[in-house]
Amino acid sequence: MIEPDIAGEPQGDNRWLRQSLSKIQEELAERMEISVSRETIRRLLHKEKIRPRSNVKRLHPKPHPDRDKQFRYLQAQKEAFQQAGWPVISVDTKKKELIGPFYQRGQQWRQEAVAVNTHDFPSYAEGRAVPYGIYDIQNNLGYVAVGQSADTPEFAVEAILWWWQEFGQERYPEAPELLILADGGGSNGYRSRRWKQQLQERFADQFGLTVTVCHYPPGASKWNPIEHRLFSQISRTWAGTPLTSFEVLVDAVRTTTTQTGLCVKATMVEKTYEKGLSVTDKEMASLLIEKHATCPAWNYTIRPRKKGK
């Protein structure tokens, strides 16, 4: 009776059933007039090596052939900038957070648990926070711009501009170049024309600063320093704390510290960013982008253009 619903390898042990025990019990009663308990059905299935099983993470997708080469090159670039005393920042967008009485993983020491919504429906939220982080690797300092609209290249670059104008320029007054370590996708992805155009116009041209960007290979975002040096610490700070307002979120970010000396600055960004803006071929051709010889899609340098261009 269950043969049509058995899937898997016919001659092997990797087989499973597409029916529930209750459904089998009902069909036995209706079709064969056999009354049997679910426990008996379970034992019979076990004899056939059919059991309830969860998915197992055992498959390893083939890594990109240039993965190791990119990691070595990225490390060499980082060491060169650090030896020169030039800024190296790791950037990324943290997981977006719903603002309101929503469940947050973790626990707090308190007399009573905080009541939160039973469902995390976006329609229940007062807004959605988009935390874009900048991590200064040399100085173990974090900076987070909390947006309230879309995660776009404009927002990403303006967050980096905020860091440079408020903190970076003062800390690195003589630096002619900046190294940005970024993931391969998202608002600062290596395929994004808008990201490169905004870095050219809003950063390189405006401040006369040469900007080098090195992207982590696909599937390697967890190696980006900002993930384990900054974002993980912020998550620990607000663990078990419902982010009931933007102010609560920003305050949690600002109070994030570690025993190794991490300090974090934060700011709110109220500007609304438009999604889907494109860059024409003519605009791309006007950018001063120099692709590196090693993994040119992931490594490039944007140089300032002369005034009037």
Side-chain angles (χ1 to χ4, degrees), residues 27-273:
E27 290 202 18
L28 282 171
E30 293 176 2
R31 293 169 53 184
M32 300 184 178
E33 298 183 352
I34 297 175
S35 177
V36 63
S37 69
R38 281 180 291 178
E39 183 58 35
T40 299
I41 298 172
R42 187 193 308 275
R43 284 191 288 103
L44 291 171
L45 291 174
H46 282 192
K47 287 184 180 181
E48 298 297 324
K49 298 183 179 180
I50 298 176
R51 301 171 180 268
R53 302 185 191 275
S54 301
N55 298 158
V56 179
K57 291 185 178 182
R58 290 178 181 167
L59 305 179
H60 299 280
K62 187 176 180 180
H64 194 284
D66 290 332
R67 176 188 172 99
D68 291 341
K69 182 194 296 185
Q70 176 63 4
F71 268 109
R72 289 193 296 269
Y73 186 76
L74 193 151
Q75 182 63 27
Q77 288 287 300
K78 184 167 65 173
E79 291 175 356
F81 272 74
Q82 289 177 322
Q83 290 175 4
W86 299 344
V88 179
I89 59 173
S90 169
V91 303
D92 195 16
T93 304
K94 195 180 187 301
K95 182 179 76 71
K96 301 171 183 64
E97 301 286 348
L98 295 178
I99 300 300
F102 296 102
Y103 174 79
Q104 279 288 337
R105 295 179 60 183
Q107 296 178 324
Q108 288 183 325
W109 287 93
R110 55 172 57 240
Q111 291 182 325
E112 295 183 2
V114 177
V116 296
N117 293 341
T118 54
H119 298 288
D120 294 342
F121 295 146
S123 59
Y124 292 172
E126 297 179 15
R128 188 181 68 160
V130 185
Y132 191 89
I134 301 101
Y135 178 67
D136 183 340
I137 294 178
Q138 290 100 312
N139 298 287
N140 192 28
L141 297 173
Y143 308 86
V144 179
V146 181
Q148 301 179 42
S149 62
D151 181 22
T152 67
E154 283 83 1
F155 171 57
V157 172
E158 286 197 7
I160 299 173
L161 280 174
W162 162 71
W163 162 76
W164 180 250
Q165 291 176 309
E166 298 294 327
F167 310 99
Q169 276 184 322
E170 182 178 352
R171 190 168 289 275
Y172 303 98
E174 304 299 326
E177 296 190 33
L178 165 69
L179 175 61
I180 299 177
L181 309 180
D183 288 352
S187 58
N188 48 225
Y190 71 92
R191 290 190 179 94
S192 173
R193 288 185 165 196
R194 197 74 180 174
W195 158 254
K196 296 171 184 176
Q197 184 236 21
Q198 289 292 297
L199 282 178
Q200 177 79 75
E201 294 185 357
R202 306 292 307 284
F203 211 93
D205 293 350
Q206 184 174 339
F207 297 100
L209 192 69
T210 297
V211 180
T212 293
V213 184
C214 293
H215 294 274
Y216 282 86
S221 61
K222 65 181 180 181
W223 298 106
N224 196 343
I226 196 170
E227 296 291 344
H228 49 89
R229 299 273 186 87
L230 178 60
F231 288 165
S232 64
Q233 305 303 328
I234 293 174
S235 295
R236 290 178 182 177
T237 300
W238 67 39
T241 303
L243 304 175
T244 53
S245 68
F246 283 97
E247 290 72 20
V248 169
L249 184 148
V250 171
D251 183 64
V253 172
R254 288 173 176 161
T255 56
T256 299
T257 58
T258 64
Q259 292 183 348
T260 57
L262 173 69
C263 293
V264 185
K265 305 288 186 182
T267 187
M268 284 289 300
V269 181
E270 298 181 357
K271 180 178 176 180
T272 299
Y273 294 92

